[in-house]
Amino acid sequence: MFTRSLGAGGELRPLEVWHAAEFADHLDRAREHVRPWVGPSFVTDTVDGARATLRRYADGAAADGARLCGIWSGGRLVGGVMFVSFSAAAGSCELGCWLEPAAQGRGLVTAAAGLLLDWALDERGLHRAEWRCRADNVRSAAVARRLGMTLEGTLREAWPYRGTRHDQQVWAVLATDRPAR
Ligand SMILES: CC(C)(COP(=O)(O)OP(=O)(O)OC[C@H]1O[C@@H](n2cnc3c(N)ncnc32)[C@H](O)[C@@H]1OP(=O)(O)O)[C@@H](O)C(=O)NCCC(=O)NCCS
């Protein structure tokens, strides 16, 4: 449908229901790497589960809410970025991301999330974009920092995972924080 170059051989494209089998294959490479850091409903084990995730985001996009884009490299789906939430009425959104291990370290997610941020704040006129991550997710927090976000606070023990509750950081950038474009 469309392709945006991310540099480093990466491309951002819509990730839609018809990609279910490809998304499931990708999850086989990414599952254990992402499991501790993302919501449990994202970590599915079957093509039907992958399709249900894509369907949920497609329904969100149809309602101008949550939506998902994939990152491809060398013709292979290697990760993605999403609006976990998006509200034009409230003027705010939350971004999320993931990569399979082999695709880390090339700036792909920073570039992709930057495109989503530009779309939300510049094109759609939202005022606030958030990034929430487990407080010990150093790589995720580094992306938020590279996107120009500020660490606004820590939600204590807000993230349950396998019987332990972890702190969660809230990062955000406001449209007025960014240089005029
Ligand atoms: C969070 C996650 C997507 C970050 O991946 P990442 O590769 O560190 O992030 P980017 O794609 O933006 O790449 C940044 C890395 O590429 C390097 N890089 C190379 N070229 C770059 C460029 N042009 N721009 C920015 N960074 C570049 C950076 O130095 C950095 O590497 P370093 O941390 O070793 O210094 C990944 O660790 C992941 O999938 N984790 C599991 C799931 C997860 O935590 N999701 C987020 C939930 S909140």
Side-chain angles (χ1 to χ4, degrees), residues 8 33-35 37-38 80 95-100 103-111 131-134 137 139-143 146 159:
H33 174 63
V34 306
R35 195 191 292 279
W37 316 107
V38 303
L95 275 66
C97 69
W98 81 97
L99 285 173
E100 59 186 57
Q104 290 187 130
R106 293 158 54 191
L108 294 175
V109 153
T110 299
W131 186 277
R132 291 172 179 244
C133 59
R134 250 175 69 169
N137 193 343
R139 293 194 84 104
S140 181
V143 176
R146 277 194 293 270
W159 188 285

Side-chain angles (χ1 to χ4, degrees), residues 1-180:
M1 183 63 80
F2 72 79
T3 297
R4 297 285 300 266
S5 171
L6 300 174
E11 293 180 337
L12 187 71
R13 303 183 208 156
L15 177 54
E16 298 176 338
V17 173
W18 65 275
H19 292 113
E22 191 175 359
F23 183 44
D25 283 347
H26 158 68
L27 283 175
D28 286 345
R29 300 186 293 273
R31 188 175 296 108
E32 296 315 316
H33 174 63
V34 306
R35 195 191 292 279
W37 316 107
V38 303
S41 65
F42 191 78
V43 191
T44 57
D45 297 315
T46 62
V47 175
D48 283 347
R51 185 179 297 107
T53 300
L54 299 178
R55 176 65 193 260
R56 201 166 61 244
Y57 279 96
D59 288 347
D64 198 25
R67 65 182 75 211
L68 191 64
C69 290
I71 296 173
W72 275 261
S73 177
R76 168 185 275 207
L77 178 63
V78 296
V81 288
M82 74 274 259
F83 289 108
V84 178
S85 64
F86 184 99
S87 169
S92 65
C93 63
E94 181 190 339
L95 275 66
C97 69
W98 81 97
L99 285 173
E100 59 186 57
Q104 290 187 130
R106 293 158 54 191
L108 294 175
V109 153
T110 299
L115 289 174
L116 262 55
L117 207 50
D118 291 348
W119 184 76
L121 300 185
D122 300 341
E123 192 167 337
R124 298 296 309 277
L126 267 56
H127 185 64
R128 173 181 172 85
E130 284 188 1
W131 186 277
R132 291 172 179 244
C133 59
R134 250 175 69 169
D136 55 345
N137 193 343
V138 175
R139 293 194 84 104
S140 181
V143 176
R145 195 176 294 108
R146 277 194 293 270
L147 291 172
M149 293 186 166
T150 299
L151 176 58
E152 295 190 331
T154 300
L155 307 180
R156 294 177 306 151
E157 301 188 1
W159 188 285
Y161 179 69
R162 291 190 170 161
T164 303
R165 300 193 66 90
H166 299 268
D167 291 350
Q168 184 182 32
Q169 292 180 344
V170 181
W171 295 74
V173 62
L174 306 181
T176 45
D177 292 336
R178 290 161 38 108

